[in-house]
């Protein structure tokens, strides 16, 4: 091992194997936490562009929401650009849409906000020439009578069709 220090810029300096391995071990120990973190994280630890970091973050948020809401199988997430140059990130989970309409008849319908209450409805499918689509129209059935004006019934609010007329 070198014991004399010369001012020749390190030329002719020697390093013992023991000192070399101590330096190598210290460097490896300092780098290990970063390597362990990079191996366990889903976001790569390499230098990423801002776009790549944003995409990876949106993917992480989608995975977290999917785990938090296991019954919601539709997961959306994207960055929206605004006209003024700004942007927003929207990540959401949704249940799959259900459409249990199976021809005109009596259906059990769940409440749809303030638009109509839950109950038994006589639901019919009607073509709209103005909108060029079919709409489900329903009248509330109570005590053997249709008692309400017709309402547009959202297909996802139908719970089940009642066989053999209203119960």
């Amino acid at each position: 091992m070198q014991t004399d220090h010369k001012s020749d810029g390190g030329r002719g300096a020697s390093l013992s194997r023991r000192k070399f391995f101590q330096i190598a071990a210290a460097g490896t120990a300092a780098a290990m936490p970063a390597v362990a973190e990079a191996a366990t994280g889903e976001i790569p630890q390499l230098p990423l562009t801002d776009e790549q970091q944003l995409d990876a973050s949106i993917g992480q948020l989608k995975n977290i929401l999917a785990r938090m809401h296991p019954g919601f199988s539709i997961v959306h997430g994207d960055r929206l650009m605004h006209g003024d140059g700004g942007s927003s990130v929207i990540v959401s989970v949704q249940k799959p849409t259900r459409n249990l309409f199976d021809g005109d008849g009596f259906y059990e319908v769940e409440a749809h906000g303030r638009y109509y209450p839950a109950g038994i409805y006589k639901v019919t499918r009607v073509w709209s020439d103005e909108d060029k689509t079919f709409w489900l129209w329903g009248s509330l059935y109570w005590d053997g009578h249709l008692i309400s004006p017709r309402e547009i019934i959202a297909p996802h609010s139908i719970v089940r069709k009642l066989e053999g007329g209203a119960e």
Side-chain angles (χ1 to χ4, degrees), residues 2 6-14:
Q2 180 179 357
K6 301 178 183 174
S7 62
D8 60 356
R11 286 175 293 198
S14 65

Side-chain angles (χ1 to χ4, degrees), residues 34-51:
V35 171
E37 183 179 338
T40 59
E42 291 182 22
I43 297 176
Q45 300 298 317
L46 301 173
L48 300 175
T49 66
D50 290 342
E51 294 288 328

